[in-house]
Amino acid sequence: MATSEFSHYRRVDGWLGQRCLYLERTTSTNEVLRRLAEEGAVEGLVILADEQTAGCGRLARRWESPPGTSLLFSLLFRPPEPFAYHAARTTMLCGLALCQAVALGAGLTTYLKWPNDLIIERAGDWRKLAGMLSEIGMAGGRPSFLIVGIGLNVNIPVEGLSRLAPNATSLLAEIGHDVGRVALLDIFLQRTEALVERQRAGWDPLAQWRAGLAWRGRTVQVHLPTETLVGVAEDVDAEGALLLRLPDGSRRSFPVGDVSLRL
Ligand code: BT5
């Protein structure tokens, strides 16, 4: 069997990814990392897989990926207090770092679709390139760790995309050639670590995250578990909640959570 380029992957400099666990095939990297975090794993641990048999999206949705084609990984953070604030900022800056890694590693401009998707916009159309799943773990009745799981479609050929989702895309489909997954992961981890350190030193990523959001000022559909609302995606607030202007002039906010956005 061919050895994966990730078999011995770890970062030499820095704390994010200095410890890495590569699994050729697993259920879900988020699930594996959650178990290790509960056993006390250190901040910065990264779980990487070439194949997931139960990759998770939000709300029990699935993340599908042909084996060996993409980046499927999860990062462990142990944010300081106030936990909720730092956890939300850490998720935002992972999104920023993912945009930067795709720009540097593949030369593509991407946008963040609130709350946690990475998309490509083209002539009024949009395609999903990556998804992020943030989960908080508790210990002793208090929030204790943050897991950020990322699925980035890298070398999936065009003909394999429609099986994943109607609007899925990959770097290969967008730029016409394979992209080295290790180099991309390296850039992402470097960028994320640098941004986490800036953030913990007092920098707030909110303005930059907000500036990178797709569809601000546009009419969108907000899919809630029980209803769909249509309104203008005016902005996000200081917590990252979506502010939607409804046709009757009122404004509603939607915390980052179980809401999906569509054009
Ligand atoms: C997400 O959820 O987009 C978060 C996905 C996070 C996946 C990573 S992979 C590593 C780590 N381990 C895990 O188990 N999960 C994380 P959501 O916004 O709920 O979107 C899910 C929806 O995206 C699905 O219902 C499909 O419509 C679509 N989808 C599934 N696989 C896709 C793919 N490869 N590319 C584009 N869209 C996809």
Coordinates of all heavy atoms in Angstrom, one line a residue, residues 27-31 47 49 52 54-66 70-74 113 115-118 127-135 147-153 156 161 163-170 259-260 262, ligand 1:
T27 N -13.4 7.2 11.8 CA -14.8 7.7 11.7 C -14.9 9.1 11.4 O -15.3 9.5 10.3 CB -15.5 7.4 13.1 OG1 -14.6 7.9 14.1 CG2 -15.7 5.9 13.3
S28 N -14.3 9.9 12.3 CA -14.4 11.4 12.1 C -13.2 12.0 12.9 O -13.0 11.6 14.1 CB -15.7 11.9 12.7 OG -15.5 13.2 13.3
T29 N -12.4 12.8 12.3 CA -11.3 13.4 13.1 C -11.7 14.2 14.3 O -11.1 14.2 15.3 CB -10.4 14.2 12.2 OG1 -11.2 15.2 11.5 CG2 -9.7 13.4 11.1
N30 N -12.9 14.8 14.2 CA -13.4 15.6 15.3 C -13.7 14.6 16.5 O -13.4 14.9 17.7 CB -14.7 16.3 15.0 CG -14.5 17.8 14.5 OD1 -13.5 18.0 13.8 ND2 -15.3 18.7 14.8
E31 N -14.3 13.5 16.2 CA -14.7 12.5 17.2 C -13.4 12.0 17.9 O -13.3 11.9 19.1 CB -15.5 11.4 16.5 CG -16.0 10.4 17.5 CD -16.6 9.2 16.8 OE1 -17.5 9.4 15.9 OE2 -16.2 8.1 17.0
I47 N -5.3 16.1 14.4 CA -5.7 14.7 13.9 C -6.0 14.9 12.4 O -6.7 15.8 12.0 CB -6.9 14.1 14.6 CG1 -6.9 14.2 16.1 CG2 -7.2 12.7 14.1 CD1 -5.8 13.4 16.7
A49 N -6.7 12.7 8.6 CA -7.1 11.5 8.1 C -7.2 11.5 6.6 O -7.4 12.6 6.0 CB -8.5 11.1 8.6
Q52 N -12.7 9.4 6.0 CA -13.6 9.3 7.2 C -14.8 8.5 6.8 O -15.4 8.7 5.7 CB -14.0 10.7 7.6 CG -12.9 11.7 8.1 CD -13.4 13.0 8.5 OE1 -13.2 13.4 9.6 NE2 -14.1 13.7 7.7
A54 N -17.5 8.5 8.9 CA -18.6 9.2 9.5 C -18.2 10.6 9.7 O -18.4 11.2 10.8 CB -19.0 8.5 10.8
G55 N -17.7 11.3 8.6 CA -17.4 12.7 8.7 C -18.6 13.5 9.0 O -19.7 13.3 8.4
C56 N -18.5 14.5 9.9 CA -19.7 15.2 10.4 C -19.7 16.6 9.8 O -18.6 17.3 9.8 CB -19.7 15.4 11.9 SG -19.4 13.9 12.8
G57 N -20.9 17.1 9.5 CA -21.1 18.5 9.3 C -21.9 19.0 10.5 O -22.0 18.3 11.5
R58 N -22.5 20.1 10.4 CA -23.4 20.6 11.5 C -24.7 19.9 11.5 O -25.1 19.3 10.4 CB -23.6 22.1 11.4 CG -22.2 22.9 11.5 CD -22.4 24.4 11.3 NE -22.9 24.7 10.0 CZ -23.9 25.6 9.8 NH1 -24.4 26.3 10.8 NH2 -24.3 25.9 8.6
L59 N -25.4 19.9 12.6 CA -26.8 19.4 12.6 C -26.9 18.0 12.1 O -27.8 17.7 11.3 CB -27.7 20.3 11.7 CG -28.2 21.6 12.3 CD1 -29.0 22.3 11.3 CD2 -29.1 21.3 13.5
A60 N -26.0 17.1 12.4 CA -26.0 15.7 12.0 C -25.9 15.5 10.5 O -26.2 14.5 9.9 CB -27.3 15.0 12.5
R61 N -25.4 16.6 9.8 CA -25.2 16.4 8.4 C -23.9 15.7 8.2 O -23.1 15.6 9.1 CB -25.2 17.8 7.7 CG -26.6 18.4 7.6 CD -26.7 19.6 6.7 NE -26.0 20.7 7.3 CZ -26.6 21.8 7.8 NH1 -27.9 22.0 7.7 NH2 -26.0 22.8 8.3
R62 N -23.6 15.2 7.0 CA -22.4 14.5 6.7 C -21.4 15.2 5.9 O -21.8 16.1 5.1 CB -22.8 13.2 5.9 CG -23.6 12.2 6.7 CD -22.8 11.5 7.8 NE -21.7 10.8 7.3 CZ -21.8 9.5 7.0 NH1 -22.9 8.8 7.3 NH2 -20.7 8.8 6.5
W63 N -20.1 14.9 6.1 CA -19.1 15.5 5.2 C -18.5 14.3 4.5 O -18.0 13.4 5.1 CB -18.0 16.2 6.0 CG -17.1 16.9 5.1 CD1 -15.8 16.5 4.7 CD2 -17.3 18.1 4.4 NE1 -15.3 17.4 3.8 CE2 -16.1 18.4 3.6 CE3 -18.3 19.0 4.4 CZ2 -16.0 19.5 2.9 CZ3 -18.2 20.2 3.6 CH2 -17.1 20.4 2.9
E64 N -18.6 14.3 3.2 CA -18.2 13.2 2.3 C -16.9 13.6 1.6 O -16.8 14.8 1.1 CB -19.2 12.9 1.3 CG -20.6 12.7 1.8 CD -20.8 11.3 2.5 OE1 -19.8 10.5 2.4 OE2 -21.8 11.1 3.1
S65 N -16.0 12.7 1.4 CA -14.8 13.0 0.7 C -14.1 11.7 0.2 O -13.9 10.8 0.9 CB -13.8 13.7 1.7 OG -12.7 14.3 1.0
P66 N -13.8 11.7 -1.1 CA -13.2 10.5 -1.6 C -11.8 10.3 -0.9 O -11.1 11.2 -0.8 CB -13.0 10.8 -3.1 CG -13.9 11.9 -3.4 CD -14.0 12.7 -2.2
S70 N -8.1 14.9 -0.2 CA -8.4 16.2 0.4 C -7.7 16.4 1.7 O -6.8 15.7 2.1 CB -9.9 16.3 0.6 OG -10.6 16.3 -0.7
L71 N -8.0 17.5 2.4 CA -7.5 17.8 3.7 C -8.7 17.6 4.7 O -9.7 18.3 4.6 CB -7.0 19.2 3.8 CG -5.6 19.4 3.3 CD1 -5.2 20.9 3.4 CD2 -4.6 18.6 4.1
L72 N -8.5 16.6 5.6 CA -9.6 16.3 6.6 C -8.8 16.3 7.9 O -8.0 15.4 8.1 CB -10.2 14.9 6.3 CG -10.8 14.7 4.9 CD1 -11.1 13.2 4.8 CD2 -12.0 15.5 4.7
F73 N -9.1 17.3 8.7 CA -8.3 17.4 10.0 C -9.0 18.2 11.0 O -9.9 18.9 10.7 CB -6.9 18.0 9.7 CG -6.9 19.4 9.2 CD1 -6.6 20.4 10.0 CD2 -7.2 19.7 7.9 CE1 -6.6 21.7 9.6 CE2 -7.2 21.0 7.4 CZ -6.9 22.0 8.2
S74 N -8.5 18.0 12.3 CA -9.1 18.7 13.4 C -8.0 19.2 14.3 O -7.0 18.5 14.5 CB -10.0 17.7 14.2 OG -11.0 17.2 13.4
K113 N -18.6 32.0 3.8 CA -20.0 32.1 3.9 C -20.4 31.8 5.3 O -20.1 30.8 5.9 CB -20.6 31.0 2.9 CG -22.2 31.0 3.0 CD -22.7 30.2 1.9 CE -23.0 28.8 2.3 NZ -24.0 28.6 3.3
P115 N -21.9 30.7 8.7 CA -20.8 31.1 9.6 C -19.5 30.5 9.2 O -18.5 31.1 9.4 CB -21.3 30.5 10.9 CG -22.2 29.3 10.5 CD -22.8 29.7 9.2
N116 N -19.4 29.3 8.6 CA -18.2 28.6 8.6 C -17.8 27.9 7.3 O -17.1 26.9 7.3 CB -18.1 27.5 9.7 CG -18.0 28.2 11.1 OD1 -17.4 29.3 11.2 ND2 -18.5 27.6 12.1
D117 N -18.4 28.3 6.2 CA -18.0 27.7 4.9 C -17.0 28.5 4.1 O -17.1 29.7 4.2 CB -19.2 27.5 4.0 CG -20.2 26.5 4.5 OD1 -19.8 25.7 5.4 OD2 -21.4 26.5 4.0
L118 N -16.2 27.9 3.3 CA -15.3 28.6 2.4 C -15.9 28.4 1.0 O -16.1 27.3 0.6 CB -13.9 28.0 2.5 CG -12.8 28.9 2.0 CD1 -12.6 30.0 3.0 CD2 -11.5 28.1 1.9
R127 N -19.8 28.1 -5.0 CA -19.5 26.7 -4.8 C -18.8 26.6 -3.5 O -18.0 27.4 -3.1 CB -18.5 26.3 -5.9 CG -18.9 26.5 -7.3 CD -19.6 25.3 -7.9 NE -20.6 25.7 -8.9 CZ -21.4 24.8 -9.5 NH1 -21.3 23.5 -9.2 NH2 -22.2 25.2 -10.4
K128 N -19.1 25.4 -2.9 CA -18.5 25.2 -1.5 C -17.2 24.4 -1.7 O -17.2 23.3 -2.2 CB -19.5 24.5 -0.7 CG -19.0 24.2 0.8 CD -20.2 23.9 1.7 CE -19.7 23.3 3.0 NZ -20.8 23.1 3.9
L129 N -16.1 25.1 -1.2 CA -14.8 24.5 -1.3 C -14.4 23.8 0.0 O -13.6 22.8 0.0 CB -13.8 25.6 -1.6 CG -12.3 25.2 -1.8 CD1 -12.1 24.4 -3.0 CD2 -11.5 26.5 -1.9
A130 N -14.9 24.3 1.1 CA -14.5 23.7 2.4 C -15.6 24.0 3.5 O -16.4 25.0 3.3 CB -13.2 24.4 2.9
G131 N -15.6 23.2 4.5 CA -16.5 23.4 5.6 C -15.7 23.3 6.9 O -14.7 22.6 7.0
M132 N -16.2 24.0 7.9 CA -15.6 23.9 9.2 C -16.6 23.6 10.3 O -17.7 24.1 10.2 CB -15.0 25.3 9.6 CG -13.8 25.7 8.8 SD -12.9 27.2 9.3 CE -13.7 27.7 10.8
L133 N -16.2 22.7 11.2 CA -17.1 22.3 12.3 C -16.4 22.6 13.6 O -15.4 22.0 13.9 CB -17.5 20.8 12.1 CG -18.3 20.3 13.2 CD1 -19.7 20.9 13.2 CD2 -18.5 18.7 13.1
S134 N -17.0 23.6 14.3 CA -16.4 23.9 15.6 C -17.2 23.3 16.7 O -18.4 23.4 16.7 CB -16.6 25.4 15.8 OG -15.4 26.1 15.6
E135 N -16.5 22.7 17.7 CA -17.2 22.0 18.8 C -16.5 22.3 20.1 O -15.3 22.4 20.1 CB -17.3 20.5 18.6 CG -18.0 20.1 17.3 CD -18.1 18.6 17.2 OE1 -17.1 18.0 16.9 OE2 -19.2 18.1 17.4
I147 N -12.6 22.3 19.5 CA -12.1 21.5 18.4 C -12.6 22.3 17.1 O -13.8 22.6 17.0 CB -12.7 20.1 18.4 CG1 -12.0 19.4 19.6 CG2 -12.4 19.4 17.1 CD1 -12.6 18.0 19.8
V148 N -11.7 22.5 16.2 CA -12.1 23.0 14.9 C -11.7 22.0 13.9 O -10.5 21.6 13.7 CB -11.3 24.4 14.6 CG1 -11.7 24.9 13.2 CG2 -11.7 25.4 15.7
G149 N -12.7 21.5 13.2 CA -12.5 20.4 12.2 C -12.7 21.0 10.8 O -13.7 21.8 10.6
I150 N -11.8 20.7 9.9 CA -11.9 21.3 8.6 C -11.8 20.2 7.5 O -11.0 19.3 7.6 CB -10.7 22.3 8.4 CG1 -10.9 23.4 9.4 CG2 -10.6 22.8 7.0 CD1 -9.8 24.5 9.4
G151 N -12.7 20.4 6.6 CA -12.7 19.5 5.4 C -12.5 20.5 4.2 O -13.3 21.3 3.9
L152 N -11.4 20.3 3.5 CA -11.1 21.2 2.3 C -10.9 20.3 1.1 O -10.0 19.4 1.1 CB -9.8 22.0 2.6 CG -9.2 22.7 1.4 CD1 -10.1 23.9 0.9 CD2 -7.8 23.3 1.8
N153 N -11.7 20.5 0.1 CA -11.7 19.7 -1.1 C -10.5 20.1 -1.9 O -10.4 21.2 -2.5 CB -13.0 19.9 -1.9 CG -14.2 19.5 -1.2 OD1 -14.2 18.6 -0.3 ND2 -15.3 20.1 -1.5
I156 N -10.0 16.6 -5.8 CA -11.2 15.9 -6.2 C -11.5 16.3 -7.7 O -11.8 17.4 -8.0 CB -12.4 16.1 -5.3 CG1 -12.1 15.9 -3.8 CG2 -13.6 15.3 -5.7 CD1 -13.2 16.2 -2.9
L161 N -17.5 15.5 -8.0 CA -18.0 16.5 -7.0 C -19.5 16.4 -6.8 O -20.0 16.6 -5.6 CB -17.7 17.9 -7.6 CG -16.2 18.2 -7.5 CD1 -16.0 19.5 -8.3 CD2 -15.8 18.4 -6.1
R163 N -21.4 14.0 -6.4 CA -21.7 13.0 -5.4 C -21.6 13.5 -4.0 O -22.2 13.0 -3.0 CB -20.8 11.8 -5.5 CG -21.5 10.6 -6.1 CD -20.5 9.5 -6.3 NE -19.7 9.7 -7.6 CZ -18.4 9.5 -7.7 NH1 -17.7 9.1 -6.7 NH2 -17.8 9.7 -8.8
L164 N -20.9 14.6 -3.8 CA -20.7 15.2 -2.4 C -21.8 16.1 -2.1 O -22.3 16.1 -1.0 CB -19.3 15.9 -2.4 CG -18.1 15.1 -3.0 CD1 -16.9 15.9 -3.0 CD2 -17.9 13.8 -2.1
A165 N -22.1 17.0 -3.0 CA -23.1 18.0 -2.8 C -23.3 18.7 -4.1 O -22.4 18.8 -4.9 CB -22.7 19.0 -1.7
P166 N -24.5 19.2 -4.4 CA -24.8 19.8 -5.7 C -23.9 21.0 -6.0 O -23.6 21.2 -7.2 CB -26.3 20.3 -5.6 CG -26.8 19.7 -4.3 CD -25.7 19.2 -3.5
N167 N -23.4 21.7 -5.0 CA -22.6 22.9 -5.3 C -21.2 22.7 -4.8 O -20.5 23.7 -4.5 CB -23.3 24.1 -4.6 CG -23.4 23.9 -3.1 OD1 -23.2 22.8 -2.6 ND2 -23.5 25.0 -2.3
A168 N -20.7 21.5 -4.7 CA -19.3 21.3 -4.2 C -18.3 21.7 -5.3 O -18.6 21.5 -6.5 CB -19.1 19.8 -3.7
T169 N -17.2 22.2 -4.8 CA -16.1 22.3 -5.8 C -14.8 21.9 -5.1 O -14.8 21.6 -3.9 CB -16.0 23.8 -6.3 OG1 -15.0 23.8 -7.4 CG2 -15.5 24.8 -5.3
S170 N -13.7 21.9 -5.8 CA -12.4 21.5 -5.3 C -11.3 22.4 -5.9 O -11.6 23.0 -6.9 CB -12.1 20.0 -5.6 OG -11.8 19.9 -7.0
V259 N -28.0 27.3 11.8 CA -28.6 28.1 10.8 C -27.8 28.0 9.5 O -26.6 27.9 9.5 CB -28.6 29.6 11.2 CG1 -29.3 30.5 10.1 CG2 -29.4 29.8 12.5
S260 N -28.5 27.8 8.3 CA -27.8 27.8 7.0 C -28.3 28.9 6.2 O -29.4 29.4 6.2 CB -28.2 26.5 6.3 OG -27.7 25.4 7.0
R262 N -28.5 30.7 2.3 CA -28.6 30.4 0.8 C -28.9 31.7 0.1 O -29.6 32.6 0.7 CB -29.7 29.4 0.5 CG -29.3 28.0 1.0 CD -28.3 27.3 0.0 NE -28.0 26.0 0.5 CZ -27.0 25.7 1.3 NH1 -26.3 26.6 1.9 NH2 -26.8 24.4 1.6
Ligands
BT5_1 C1 -19.8 21.7 7.3 O1 -21.0 21.4 7.8 O2 -19.6 22.3 6.3 C2 -18.7 21.3 8.3 C3 -17.8 20.2 7.6 C4 -16.6 19.9 8.5 C5 -16.0 18.6 8.0 C6 -14.7 18.3 8.7 S1 -13.8 17.1 7.9 C7 -12.7 17.0 9.3 C8 -13.6 17.1 10.5 N1 -14.1 15.9 11.0 C9 -15.4 15.8 10.8 O3 -16.1 14.8 11.1 N2 -15.9 17.0 10.4 C10 -14.8 17.9 10.2 P1 -22.4 21.9 7.2 O4 -22.4 23.4 7.0 O5 -23.4 21.3 8.0 O6 -22.4 21.3 5.7 C11 -22.6 20.0 5.4 C12 -23.2 19.9 4.0 O7 -22.2 20.2 3.1 C13 -23.7 18.5 3.6 O8 -25.1 18.4 4.0 C14 -23.6 18.5 2.1 O9 -24.6 19.2 1.5 C15 -22.3 19.4 1.9 N3 -21.1 18.6 1.7 C16 -20.8 17.4 2.2 N4 -19.6 17.0 1.8 C17 -19.1 18.0 1.1 C18 -17.9 18.3 0.4 N5 -16.9 17.4 0.4 N6 -17.8 19.5 -0.3 C19 -18.8 20.4 -0.4 N7 -19.9 20.2 0.3 C20 -20.1 19.0 1.0

